[in-house]
Amino acid sequence: AKDGATRTVFDMAKNSDLTTDAKEILFDAMEQKKTDPKSFLRLMIQSQLWKSVETLLDENKDNKSLLNSQKGDDHAIHLAARNGAPKNIIEKILTIDSECILRKGRDNYNVLHCIIEGAQKFQEEEGDLKQKVNYIFEKTDTQLIIDTKEEKSNGQSVRRNAEAEYGLLPLHLAAACRNKVLIDAILEKLPTPSMKEKALASVSKNDFTPLHWSVHTNEKFCPRQMVESAELAIVKVLITAEALKKKIKLKLEKKEEK
């Protein structure tokens, strides 16, 4: 049955204030669970019913098609990351489809962009967020964060890790969302001073560096008022990193002069 806006009871419940237990009971009664498990999985993820998601993934551990999406849309791993999925859900998705970790989702977001978005929306616990990001880095090293280019079929060269709208790399997005945990994690993952320098100097479509984005007001990425001390800590991290970058550059120039 649908209401005047063509919403089913389940569509309405997905974004309601029902308790998790009430949603679990309601969704467990859905016929769609058997007839269309792919759509059911996506609904469970969007509803953040992680117990149901875990059960469905366990029941379909050999069914990679359950996770797939149309080209340009979110794979299950992107959808889970955008909705603040815990680390164990990300692990189970990658157990079924290990190659999806490097796939692109909607708006050319990679899984790290999606984790940053999810952390911004749902205010994840710092410890949980660190565990999840470190797990992704264990699987990908720096592949999701460095500024590399790839050739498209039409011969055009595009930035692999930049999202579509603003051209943000994950470090830009973490700075725009004022997320110090993720800024620190990304910078720590870059193994050499030159890689850190390149990341800090990288620009988005409007020529903003991560430092620019950390002080830029943008309703999409940082709509809420932040605690002053938190904003100050983020700016300090990026300022210190910028200063270090310049210091390294100066040392190299002096070495070349000798």
Side-chain angles (χ1 to χ4, degrees):
K2 297 184 178 182
D3 69 355
T6 70
R7 296 175 300 174
T8 67
V9 172
F10 308 110
D11 290 329
M12 295 171 71
K14 179 178 71 175
N15 299 314
S16 73
D17 292 329
L18 281 175
T19 65
T20 297
D21 287 344
K23 285 182 182 179
E24 294 273 8
I25 292 169
L26 182 62
F27 288 139
D28 195 51
M30 288 177 67
E31 187 64 26
Q32 188 184 19
K33 183 177 181 180
K34 296 176 182 175
T35 60
D36 188 3
K38 183 188 287 189
S39 296
F40 185 74
L41 175 66
R42 296 177 84 81
L43 181 60
M44 294 299 95
I45 290 172
Q46 289 170 320
S47 305
Q48 297 178 299
L49 297 177
W50 304 124
K51 194 192 301 180
S52 291
V53 171
E54 185 173 6
T55 300
L56 195 57
L57 291 172
D58 286 340
E59 291 172 352
N60 291 271
K61 58 186 176 183
D62 297 318
N63 183 9
K64 193 184 290 190
S65 65
L66 179 78
L67 310 175
N68 283 334
S69 60
Q70 294 182 341
K71 190 174 180 180
D73 199 3
D74 282 340
H75 182 281
I77 196 167
H78 303 112
L79 198 62
R82 288 184 196 267
N83 284 279
K87 174 174 169 268
N88 73 304
I89 297 298
I90 302 293
E91 285 178 319
K92 286 184 180 292
I93 290 173
L94 287 173
T95 299
I96 298 171
D97 182 4
S98 60
E99 295 176 358
C100 74
I101 197 164
L102 295 178
R103 279 184 60 162
K104 295 303 179 58
R106 179 167 45 86
D107 299 327
N108 208 48
Y109 271 42
N110 65 33
V111 67
L112 191 54
H113 286 109
C114 295
I115 286 174
I116 296 166
E117 181 185 296
Q120 176 68 359
K121 277 186 191 172
F122 301 110
Q123 301 297 291
E124 294 183 62
E125 290 291 327
E126 185 174 310
D128 295 340
L129 187 55
K130 279 182 180 177
Q131 277 192 346
K132 186 161 55 177
V133 172
N134 286 336
Y135 173 71
I136 293 296
F137 285 155
E138 283 173 19
K139 297 290 182 183
T140 62
D141 196 28
T142 61
Q143 289 178 78
L144 296 174
I145 52 180
I146 56 175
D147 191 9
T148 57
K149 291 188 177 181
E150 63 180 355
E151 293 291 328
K152 291 290 185 183
S153 56
N154 59 8
Q156 288 186 323
S157 179
V158 295
R159 296 168 79 187
R160 177 171 174 75
N161 288 322
E163 57 81 48
E165 187 175 2
Y166 296 95
L168 304 183
L169 299 169
L171 183 57
H172 294 124
L173 185 57
C177 292
R178 317 288 202 268
N179 194 314
K180 186 176 180 294
V181 171
L182 292 168
I183 291 169
D184 286 341
I186 292 169
L187 289 174
E188 285 170 12
K189 186 60 188 174
L190 295 167
T192 66
S194 62
M195 288 180 77
K196 286 182 172 65
E197 179 179 351
K198 187 175 179 181
L200 291 161
S202 63
V203 294
S204 53
K205 287 181 180 178
N206 55 358
D207 287 333
F208 277 16
T209 65
L211 185 58
H212 286 104
W213 277 107
S214 73
V215 296
H216 179 60
T217 302
N218 184 301
E219 276 300 307
K220 180 176 180 179
F221 301 127
C222 195
R224 72 188 190 284
Q225 188 69 33
M226 285 196 68
V227 179
E228 186 178 337
S229 59
E231 287 191 329
L232 184 61
I234 289 162
V235 172
K236 276 183 177 178
V237 166
L238 290 169
I239 285 283
T240 302
E242 282 278 354
L244 179 62
K245 178 186 78 174
K246 288 175 183 175
K247 193 173 181 181
I248 292 165
K249 190 175 179 182
L250 187 61
K251 281 186 178 179
L252 289 172
E253 285 173 354
K254 285 182 178 178
K255 194 173 181 181
E256 284 175 5
E257 286 174 7
K258 290 180 180 177

